[in-house]
Amino acid sequence: MMQRPFRPEEYSLKETTPHLGGTAMGDKHTTTYDLVEQMQYLYVRVVKAKELPSKDITGSCDPYVEVKLGNYKGTTRHFEKKSNPEWNQVFAFSKERIQASVVEIIVKDKDFVKDDYIGRVLFDLNEVPKRVPPDSPLAPQWYRLEERNGHKVKGELMLAVWMGTQADEAFPEAWHSDAASIPGDGLASIRSKVYLTPKLWYLRVNVIEAQDLIPNDKTRFPEVYVKAMLGNQALRTRVSPSRTLNPMWNEDLMFVAAEPFEEHLILSVEDRIAPGKDDVIGRTVISLQHVPRRMDYKMLNSQWYNLEKHIIVDGEQKKETKFSSRIHLRVCLEGGYHVLDESTHYSSDLRPTAKQLWKQNIGVLELGILTAQGLLPMKTKDGRGTTDPYCVAKYGQKWVRTRTIIDSFTPKWNEQYTWEVHDPCTVITIGVFDNCHLNGGEKANGARDTRIGKVRIRLSTLETDRVYTHSYPLIVLTPGGVKKMGEVQLAVRFTCSSLVNMMHLYSQPLLPKMHYIHPLSVIQVDNLRRQATNIVSTRLSRAEPPLRKEIVEYMLDVDSHMWSMRKSKANFFRIMGVLSPLIAVARWFDQICHWRNPLTTILIHILFVILVLYPELILPTIFLYLFLIGVWYYRWRPRQPPHMDTRLSHAETAHPDELDEEFDTFPTCRAPDIVRMRYDRLRSVAGRIQTVVGDLATQGERLQSLLSWRDPRATALFVTFCFIAAIVLYVTPFRVVVFLAGLYTLRHPRFRHRMPSVPLNFFRRLPARTDSML
């Protein structure tokens, strides 16, 4: 089959003009839903009934309520033998699908053969009142039941009927007419939901020494190490170099713990008897509830813990009471670190774990998830393709999930969410998925929700108080190549509460100071991130409705560190894109040296002589030149947020064999044992090289973003600095500047500190094109 020709316009960002926050007939209402299009719904709240007559021979009543509107019908749960039931259920009917003029609320008595009719209440839709928040909820009223012929009967029903929008408080938990075909056990999986990531801590276990060990084999010197376990995390120290009964290690083991602390820390001292055979000398269990927490780098007091000897008696494990061995530990929960559960290139939160160290928020991020267009069928139902899409957005500790739109390739969500922003140099991620659990968890047979695509938006690339309304392409990479799955329409607004505080953040370290004072190794960060991701995905998958593991891993880019020839090529060409201006300058200078253009060469000679005679003009001229370039480029500053770039990612030119390698499992399953081992080793080494190359490209692109207005605040700061520096340096003798710069560079270590400098902090906050990488 011939591959379809690549058309860049299919994968481009499109600006849209939705009718945000619009109301009928030009009414102006105060509403928090101003980033979405208003969707009108008819709400019916069935509260309770009283004095219902019995229809059974037994004289009892098993009532339930049926709400009918045209072809749509919703029912409450039924009560057995109860004439005064309470339901308090809400039904929502989409106005754009309403074809009837009357809503009918019928009370019935459930029976084995045929349900008996008790009575009904009718409402003319033209007389239903409208309600728009923040108006108070409509108070329910008692209505007398009537027969089909209009005669009143015994029994009353308490109801509230009103026309509202998706901003209504009753909307999230209401029964929706769109989901009328979904069974009861599947309704929970289609509702919108807000989730919170569990609070994560780094647990540091400093294993110092042990005393008075009693090995089982007393004929040899023990080879002792300590094994520590926290849930499914297991780490071990090296074997103690002192082969005595009082071994020493002084080694740190790092774990990730999540509140509430459900697991205990288990440490066991083990003796390596032979390869693959270890003997447990003693064990201790520590509850994390009693572990001290530290907010800085101050040393905490260590503590001795008794080791318990476990012996087997009659097949049961028991503790030996007479046991004097103990272990010396320093255990603490680190509150000064930020637990990384995302890739550092697109983190959405950089705050430390301890809430006492949090700074005041600098603004608010508002996201309106409007619609999607052109979605592809993701599964087959009744012989035809269908898609049941929903959106997930993640920023900081807050995850949101929209409701599922049943069987639609053009779903309309129109849901709005808000996050507090503590740092503008963060990224929000929005993913679109197909719900494969509409029949309930028991009938899903291990089905996985299918990814449709995702979007990343870096907040620092947004202008404050501006509403961005764009249609983002949903692009996924498959073993068969890059594929557009549709488009999602979003409205984004970043509101700044304090411009001064936000500008000040550009001079602050990107991560909490503990990451610089006591940095973790690269291997530690990778392992801890993997453990943090597992904990987050496990906790969120236990919510109701669950945010499943495959969703969380896709949103957190769990496999972003794996080897890919495509990504390596893309990173290489990113570096070439950064170096190309330098190469162009070198070629231009070579042309000057070779007098290709005599007039230009003469002008350069004159400029050179002037700068030699007046060296104090060099720096002011450079800064003034950069200032003028920045002001000139302001006319062509990016007006759209970044999006997934298939050309930058080299997705459309990837060879099928490269994609097959990228989607291969790890370890590989493509070759015999020896080739597999070599292949895995090559991929592991190449993955590290890929990361280094990508980091180099990121630094170069940050240099480019100084004057590109990709981050308008950073460019404004830099351009302002260049202008001020140009003025200061024009009035300051050059020799004084050189003298002060030399003194600063050669300053005494006493005047140095271990925190990054202000220019370095500013540079690390600049955006790169990693946000646009697939």
Side-chain angles (χ1 to χ4, degrees):
M1 185 175 65
M2 295 183 60
Q3 189 175 3
R4 189 177 61 174
F6 175 73
R7 295 198 295 269
E9 62 274 7
E10 291 186 6
Y11 303 96
S12 61
L13 193 68
K14 302 173 184 175
E15 191 165 3
T16 59
T17 55
H19 186 50
L20 301 182
T23 55
M25 295 181 296
D27 295 338
K28 298 294 184 181
H29 293 282
T30 302
T31 173
T32 58
Y33 274 53
D34 61 340
L35 289 185
V36 294
E37 296 180 322
Q38 286 197 5
M39 302 174 67
Q40 299 293 325
Y41 286 88
L42 171 68
Y43 289 96
V44 179
R45 180 185 294 275
V46 181
V47 183
K48 57 185 176 180
K50 64 180 181 180
E51 300 177 358
L52 296 179
S54 59
K55 295 291 183 178
D56 293 344
I57 301 176
T58 59
S60 62
C61 181
D62 304 325
Y64 70 92
V65 175
E66 184 178 276
V67 182
K68 292 182 64 177
L69 182 62
N71 296 327
Y72 294 104
K73 180 175 67 174
T75 58
T76 67
R77 61 189 181 277
H78 82 279
F79 292 94
E80 293 187 1
K81 300 180 180 180
K82 197 168 186 180
S83 59
N84 299 304
E86 291 189 15
W87 293 283
N88 199 25
Q89 288 183 243
V90 181
F91 299 84
F93 299 87
S94 177
K95 185 178 179 180
E96 65 178 14
R97 298 189 180 183
I98 293 178
Q99 297 179 348
S101 60
V102 175
V103 60
E104 186 177 7
I105 300 100
I106 307 171
V107 182
K108 291 186 177 182
D109 181 11
K110 193 170 186 64
D111 205 344
F112 289 106
V113 181
K114 183 180 179 182
D115 296 345
D116 297 319
Y117 177 92
I118 297 179
R120 69 177 182 180
V121 179
L122 296 178
F123 289 92
D124 189 339
L125 296 187
N126 294 323
E127 299 179 2
V128 171
K130 293 183 179 180
R131 186 232 169 190
V132 178
D135 294 350
S136 299
L138 195 66
Q141 301 180 20
W142 287 104
Y143 294 89
R144 185 76 176 269
L145 297 179
E146 60 182 32
E147 292 279 2
R148 289 189 173 92
N149 56 14
H151 294 153
K152 300 294 183 181
V153 296
K154 183 182 179 183
E156 293 183 75
L157 188 62
M158 180 178 278
L159 298 170
V161 182
W162 71 96
M163 295 295 298
T165 67
Q166 73 271 32
D168 202 288
E169 296 88 347
F171 181 80
E173 299 299 326
W175 174 94
H176 289 270
S177 57
D178 298 340
S181 61
I182 304 302
D185 55 352
L187 286 176
S189 67
I190 68 172
R191 290 189 175 132
S192 58
K193 192 76 173 181
V194 176
Y195 307 83
L196 290 179
T197 300
K199 190 175 183 179
L200 301 178
W201 294 78
Y202 282 150
L203 175 66
R204 187 186 297 271
V205 182
N206 179 222
V207 183
I208 304 174
E209 60 180 330
Q211 281 187 357
D212 303 329
L213 298 183
I214 305 177
N216 294 329
D217 185 1
K218 298 181 174 60
T219 60
R220 50 181 288 279
F221 290 104
E223 298 182 19
V224 184
Y225 65 90
V226 176
K227 181 179 179 181
M229 294 186 63
L230 181 66
N232 61 352
Q233 307 174 62
L235 296 174
R236 50 183 289 177
T237 67
R238 68 188 187 282
V239 175
S240 175
S242 57
R243 299 180 60 183
T244 65
L245 300 181
N246 300 302
M248 299 189 66
W249 295 277
N250 197 22
E251 189 171 340
D252 278 354
L253 304 177
M254 296 288 291
F255 298 89
V256 178
E259 292 186 359
F261 300 122
E262 299 174 350
E263 295 97 1
H264 290 74
L265 177 65
I266 303 174
L267 295 104
S268 60
V269 180
E270 302 187 10
D271 180 13
R272 177 174 294 171
I273 300 175
K277 185 178 181 182
D278 302 310
D279 187 20
V280 178
I281 297 178
R283 189 179 281 123
T284 186
V285 178
I286 301 174
S287 172
L288 298 188
Q289 301 284 355
H290 307 106
V291 170
R293 307 177 181 186
R294 72 172 184 176
M295 311 302 165
D296 49 27
Y297 54 89
K298 294 180 180 178
M299 190 71 70
L300 296 177
N301 295 328
S302 58
Q303 188 173 348
W304 287 94
Y305 294 86
N306 293 326
L307 293 173
E308 298 171 346
K309 181 71 173 181
H310 290 256
I311 57 176
I312 305 298
V313 178
D314 297 332
E316 296 183 2
Q317 194 177 64
K318 297 184 178 181
K319 298 177 183 177
E320 187 177 332
T321 54
K322 296 181 179 180
F323 196 65
S324 58
S325 299
R326 57 181 186 165
I327 187 171
H328 193 194
L329 304 172
R330 183 179 287 110
V331 185
C332 67
L333 289 165
E334 298 279 11
Y337 289 91
H338 169 69
V339 180
L340 294 166
D341 60 345
E342 305 168 284
S343 172
T344 52
H345 293 301
Y346 9 85
S347 291
S348 62
D349 190 8
L350 301 169
R351 293 172 295 173
T353 300
K355 200 168 184 178
Q356 302 92 309
L357 302 178
W358 291 3
K359 297 179 180 178
Q360 188 178 7
N361 67 306
I362 59 161
V364 173
L365 171 65
E366 296 167 281
L367 172 68
I369 303 175
L370 305 177
T371 64
Q373 298 90 24
L375 298 185
L376 300 181
M378 304 302 296
K379 55 181 178 286
T380 303
K381 183 179 180 182
D382 299 330
R384 64 181 183 87
T386 181
T387 300
D388 305 307
Y390 66 94
C391 278
V392 175
K394 196 266 183 191
Y395 183 78
Q397 297 181 341
K398 179 179 174 181
W399 298 64
V400 299
R401 169 180 175 155
T402 68
R403 70 191 187 282
T404 299
I405 306 299
I406 308 301
D407 191 13
S408 176
F409 300 131
T410 57
K412 293 183 179 180
W413 293 288
N414 285 306
E415 298 185 24
Q416 184 171 337
Y417 299 96
T418 305
W419 289 267
E420 287 186 349
V421 178
H422 293 82
D423 196 312
C425 303
T426 47
V427 176
I428 181 173
T429 304
I430 305 101
V432 183
F433 303 91
D434 176 43
N435 196 332
C436 297
H437 297 80
L438 299 184
N439 293 324
E442 297 179 358
K443 301 178 183 179
N445 295 325
R448 294 165 60 90
D449 288 354
T450 311
R451 60 183 70 169
I452 298 178
K454 67 181 172 185
V455 175
R456 301 190 199 103
I457 302 175
R458 182 173 289 272
L459 271 60
S460 62
T461 63
L462 305 178
E463 299 177 8
T464 54
D465 300 318
R466 174 188 167 187
V467 178
Y468 289 81
T469 54
H470 292 87
S471 184
Y472 295 80
L474 296 172
I475 306 170
V476 296
L477 196 64
T478 65
V482 65
K483 190 174 184 180
K484 182 180 178 182
M485 310 297 290
E487 297 179 357
V488 62
Q489 186 177 356
L490 305 174
V492 184
R493 178 171 58 207
F494 174 33
T495 305
C496 175
S497 57
S498 174
L499 184 61
V500 175
N501 290 342
M502 183 166 63
M503 293 298 192
H504 174 68
L505 273 177
Y506 279 86
S507 67
Q508 299 302 303
L510 195 63
L511 293 170
K513 64 180 181 180
M514 283 293 288
H515 287 269
Y516 306 101
I517 297 175
H518 285 287
L520 303 174
S521 67
V522 175
I523 297 178
Q524 276 184 317
V525 170
D526 287 342
N527 292 334
L528 291 172
R529 184 197 167 205
R530 192 179 306 112
Q531 295 299 336
T533 303
N534 289 335
I535 292 174
V536 171
S537 60
T538 301
R539 291 287 181 93
L540 293 181
S541 64
R542 286 156 46 182
E544 187 61 40
L547 203 59
R548 303 186 183 278
K549 185 176 182 180
E550 63 269 19
I551 306 300
V552 176
E553 291 181 348
Y554 180 60
M555 297 287 289
L556 296 180
D557 283 294
V558 171
D559 56 352
S560 61
H561 65 287
M562 298 298 292
W563 160 257
S564 165
M565 179 67 74
R566 177 190 60 82
K567 288 183 180 179
S568 299
K569 287 182 179 180
N571 289 332
F572 172 77
F573 283 102
R574 286 172 61 202
I575 289 181
M576 294 305 297
V578 171
L579 297 179
S580 59
L582 298 178
I583 298 174
V585 170
R587 290 175 178 173
W588 172 79
F589 186 73
D590 183 70
Q591 292 177 355
I592 296 297
C593 295
H594 288 83
W595 289 74
R596 300 287 174 83
N597 188 331
L599 180 60
T600 305
T601 303
I602 292 173
L603 291 176
I604 293 299
H605 277 76
I606 296 174
L607 178 62
F608 176 73
V609 171
I610 294 175
L611 293 179
V612 168
L613 294 177
Y614 305 99
E616 62 273 12
L617 298 180
I618 296 176
L619 288 179
T621 303
I622 292 175
F623 282 111
L624 182 61
Y625 179 66
L626 293 176
F627 167 76
L628 293 176
I629 291 178
V631 173
W632 180 259
Y633 281 174
Y634 181 78
R635 297 172 57 189
W636 297 283
R637 66 192 184 278
R639 303 294 294 173
Q640 296 179 340
H643 66 285
M644 297 297 181
D645 192 335
T646 54
R647 286 191 179 274
L648 178 68
S649 308
H650 279 252
E652 73 277 4
T653 59
H655 191 274
D657 183 65
E658 296 175 0
L659 295 177
D660 179 72
E661 181 185 31
E662 183 170 347
F663 283 90
D664 188 13
T665 57
F666 192 88
T668 181
C669 59
R670 298 291 195 269
D673 294 341
I674 297 178
V675 179
R676 179 184 305 169
M677 180 269 295
R678 295 174 179 173
Y679 186 47
D680 292 345
R681 182 174 58 188
L682 174 64
R683 292 176 70 190
S684 177
V685 174
R688 295 177 184 272
I689 297 175
Q690 165 193 301
T691 303
V692 173
V693 172
D695 290 340
L696 290 175
T698 299
Q699 307 312 317
E701 288 170 351
R702 285 174 176 167
L703 278 175
Q704 289 182 326
S705 67
L706 281 172
L707 298 172
S708 69
W709 293 95
R710 179 74 277 179
D711 181 347
R713 286 165 293 276
T715 304
L717 280 174
F718 183 72
V719 169
T720 305
F721 168 76
C722 291
F723 181 70
I724 295 174
I727 295 176
V728 171
L729 292 174
Y730 268 120
V731 300
T732 305
F734 180 73
R735 293 177 180 84
V736 175
V737 175
V738 174
F739 178 74
L740 294 177
L743 287 181
Y744 179 80
T745 304
L746 301 174
R747 66 191 184 280
H748 192 271
R750 178 178 298 178
F751 301 101
R752 301 176 186 268
H753 53 84
R754 303 174 67 179
M755 301 297 291
S757 63
V758 171
L760 186 59
N761 293 330
F762 179 86
F763 180 78
R764 286 176 175 171
R765 290 177 174 275
L766 293 173
R769 303 189 71 187
T770 50
D771 307 335
S772 302
M773 288 281 293
L774 280 177

